[in-house]
């Protein structure tokens, strides 16, 4: 309140508020051209949006469009080509929802990035291929075209190699296929194995008996199993010998028949161990070998059995090698960006080393030219 010179009370004139519209943080400022999608059911719109619009935000980031929802109407704003890709993806996702498919944030984000990069394949081709239903009643399906090719290869071949970076679902999908085969009566037991090699650090002597010493190395396999089989049931099956989780050293001298066998972390095998493992294959058995050749924990200049076997078996029919890339990472979206950043850093820091590693991944020579590689000592139990 103010007082004038003549003693009268006056009130200041209220200032008008200026409202400034700020652009969305999920998509850049875009032109006004729009595409509208009419949806029949509100439930489909809610499922597509996800909690807090998280699915729509993933689509906006990947497609560089703005997605607005009002009732049953979805409006897309952006460049014409980006709107066209986003419309195609949204219609495919809505069809999946109409069929009763539950979509996770990771599945939507991965599908959006795949389509945004110009992949013309229909996301329904792999998201509808249910391998198994988890203990949480969620369908386990391939999340990328490479995962779909991996699953199909396991169905159609007795020996399959899955090679690629961390987080691409190599082990998880292989375990899902093993459990599905067991439930369908195609095999009588599951055998999961991996070499007991520390990840770049020396743990020293571990306490406990032999089983307790090797259990920490096998923990990732237990985690995958418990996501697909109730822990109490899984424990009973392990007690009965239906499921066996053991270090690779225990495989020597055995013939594994009527079994689904998975060798995980195969990049840490020696050539002798890889040969020993592959020759364990018995009648009516399947073998899946997984590994990441960028995370070899063998002693310096030791030869990886996974790098060597690709060159040896490249000409053998019915032994497919499925190569994954950072685009197939299905963990947290940041994992894909972290892997890409490491790859860029390694290329710029040492181009010659990166080129040599690429040759080894394709089955070329191991080690530096002119100097023979050193083979790791095979500590497998005779």
């Amino acid at each position: 309140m103010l007082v004038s010179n003549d003693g009268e009370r006056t009130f200041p004139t209220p200032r008008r508020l200026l409202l400034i519209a700020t652009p969305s943080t999920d998509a850049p400022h875009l032109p006004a051209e729009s595409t509208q999608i009419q949806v029949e059911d509100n439930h489909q719109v809610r499922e597509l949006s996800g909690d807090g619009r998280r699915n729509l935000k993933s689509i906006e980031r990947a497609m560089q469009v703005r997605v607005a929802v009002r009732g049953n109407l979805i409006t897309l704003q952006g460049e014409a080509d980006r709107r066209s890709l986003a419309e195609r993806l949204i219609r495919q996702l809505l069809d999946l929802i109409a069929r009763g498919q539950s979509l996770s944030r990771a599945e939507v984000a991965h599908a959006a990035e795949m389509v945004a990069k110009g992949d013309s394949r229909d996301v329904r081709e792999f998201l509808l291929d249910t391998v198994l239903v988890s203990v949480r009643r969620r369908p386990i399906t391939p999340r990328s075209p490479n995962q779909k090719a991996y699953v199909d290869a396991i169905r159609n071949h007795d020996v399959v190699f899955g090679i690629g970076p961390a987080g691409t679902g190599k082990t998880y999908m292989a375990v899902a296929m093993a459990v599905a085969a067991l439930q369908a009566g195609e095999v009588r037991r599951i055998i999961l194995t991996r070499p007991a090699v520390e990840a770049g650090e020396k743990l020293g002597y571990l306490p406990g008996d032999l089983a307790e010493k090797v259990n920490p190395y096998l923990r990732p396999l237990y985690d995958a199993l418990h996501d697909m089989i109730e822990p109490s049931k899984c424990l009973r099956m392990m007690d009965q010998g239906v499921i066996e989780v053991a270090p690779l050293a225990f495989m020597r001298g055995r013939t594994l028949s009527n079994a689904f066998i998975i060798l995980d972390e195969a990049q840490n095998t020696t050539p002798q161990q890889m040969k020993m493992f592959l020759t364990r294959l018995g009648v009516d058995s399947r073998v899946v070998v997984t590994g990441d050749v960028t995370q070899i924990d063998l002693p310096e200049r030791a030869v990886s059995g996974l790098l060597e076997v690709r060159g040896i078996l490249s000409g053998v029919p019915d032994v497919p090698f499925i190569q994954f890339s950072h685009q197939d990472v299905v963990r947290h979206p940041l994992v894909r960006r972290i892997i890409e950043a490491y790859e860029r850093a390694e290329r710029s820091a040492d181009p010659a080393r990166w080129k040599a590693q690429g040759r080894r991944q394709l089955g070329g020579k191991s080690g530096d030219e002119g100097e023979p590689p050193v083979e790791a000592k095979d500590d497998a139990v005779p």
Side-chain angles (χ1 to χ4, degrees):
M1 181 180 71
L2 301 176
V3 180
S4 64
N5 293 333
D6 55 5
E8 294 182 0
R9 291 179 297 178
T10 62
F11 294 89
T13 303
R15 296 182 179 180
R16 298 179 62 186
L17 295 176
L18 180 62
L19 300 179
I20 301 177
T22 57
S24 169
T25 58
D26 299 314
H29 181 68
L30 298 169
E33 292 85 353
S34 63
T35 299
Q36 293 185 331
I37 303 173
Q38 186 71 39
V39 186
E40 296 180 359
D41 189 353
N42 277 334
H43 168 72
Q44 296 179 17
V45 178
R46 289 194 299 269
E47 283 290 316
L48 177 68
S49 299
D51 296 336
R53 297 184 74 253
R54 63 184 185 182
N55 292 341
L56 296 184
K57 290 177 182 178
S58 296
I59 295 174
E60 286 179 332
R61 280 192 294 266
M63 299 291 185
Q64 294 296 288
V65 298
R66 184 176 294 130
V67 183
V69 175
R70 175 169 293 183
N72 288 10
L73 187 65
I74 300 174
T75 303
L76 308 176
Q77 287 187 322
E79 300 293 341
D81 58 336
R82 311 308 295 176
R83 282 187 285 120
S84 177
L85 291 175
E87 180 185 9
R88 174 164 64 89
L89 172 65
I90 288 175
R91 291 191 182 279
Q92 292 174 5
L93 295 177
L94 287 171
D95 180 60
L96 288 172
I97 295 170
R99 299 186 189 198
Q101 188 83 0
S102 178
L103 299 175
S104 68
R105 178 186 179 185
E107 288 171 338
V108 173
H110 192 82
E113 292 191 12
M114 185 192 83
V115 174
K117 291 177 180 177
D119 197 315
S120 61
R121 285 171 287 193
D122 193 321
V123 299
R124 291 170 291 189
E125 292 179 5
F126 49 88
L127 290 178
L128 281 175
D129 186 1
T130 300
V131 173
L132 190 72
V133 178
S134 71
V135 294
R136 292 174 292 177
R137 311 308 302 168
R138 287 192 59 85
I140 298 173
T141 66
R143 293 186 181 179
S144 71
N146 271 344
Q147 278 198 4
K148 170 65 173 172
Y150 183 52
V151 167
D152 288 341
I154 294 173
R155 286 175 175 145
N156 299 321
H157 298 87
D158 292 333
V159 178
V160 176
F161 287 81
I163 303 174
T168 51
K170 306 180 299 294
T171 303
Y172 191 82
M173 294 306 299
V175 173
M177 290 294 293
V179 174
L182 181 66
Q183 292 179 350
E186 298 172 6
V187 295
R188 295 179 58 185
R189 55 181 174 158
I190 297 173
I191 300 174
L192 310 177
T193 185
R194 63 188 298 177
V197 177
E198 294 103 335
E201 56 184 326
K202 299 298 182 182
L203 301 180
Y205 290 102
L206 297 176
D209 58 21
L210 185 59
E212 291 172 331
K213 290 178 188 294
V214 301
N215 267 347
Y217 299 102
L218 306 173
R219 190 72 253 172
L221 298 176
Y222 288 112
D223 292 341
L225 275 176
H226 291 165
D227 198 33
M228 303 168 196
I229 305 174
E230 290 287 350
S232 57
K233 182 178 180 181
C234 183
L235 186 59
R236 289 196 305 270
M237 296 173 78
M238 294 178 69
D239 290 339
Q240 296 166 359
V242 177
I243 296 178
E244 179 183 349
V245 183
L248 179 60
F250 291 6
M251 297 295 109
R252 187 178 292 278
R254 301 178 61 182
T255 299
L256 307 175
S257 300
N258 207 347
F260 199 115
I261 313 141
I262 300 173
L263 171 59
D264 191 30
E265 297 290 332
Q267 75 275 6
N268 290 326
T269 62
T270 66
Q272 295 92 339
Q273 287 175 322
M274 179 63 74
K275 179 181 178 182
M276 177 273 294
F277 173 77
L278 292 176
T279 54
R280 301 305 96 197
L281 182 65
V283 178
D284 296 329
S285 287
R286 304 183 201 173
V287 165
V288 178
V289 179
T290 70
D292 177 3
V293 294
T294 67
Q295 296 190 25
I296 298 175
D297 300 311
L298 292 171
E300 187 68 20
R301 295 194 50 74
V303 178
S304 167
L306 183 59
L307 286 174
E308 184 180 83
V309 75
R310 184 162 191 170
I312 293 174
L313 298 183
S314 60
V316 177
D318 296 325
V319 182
F321 286 77
I322 306 299
Q323 181 68 53
F324 295 89
S325 71
H326 61 266
Q327 296 181 1
D328 299 300
V329 172
V330 293
R331 289 179 183 167
H332 193 285
L334 277 176
V335 175
R336 184 183 300 109
R337 300 171 200 165
I338 289 170
I339 292 173
E340 291 174 349
Y342 267 96
E343 289 181 353
R344 287 193 300 269
E346 290 176 4
R347 287 192 187 99
S348 60
D350 194 347
R353 176 177 173 272
W354 183 264
K355 185 176 180 181
Q357 181 179 341
R359 286 199 304 268
R360 290 197 298 270
Q361 290 186 30
L362 295 175
K365 295 180 180 180
S366 300
D368 296 332
E369 293 182 5
E371 188 175 352
V374 178
E375 293 188 356
K377 182 180 179 181
D378 186 2
D379 294 325
V381 177

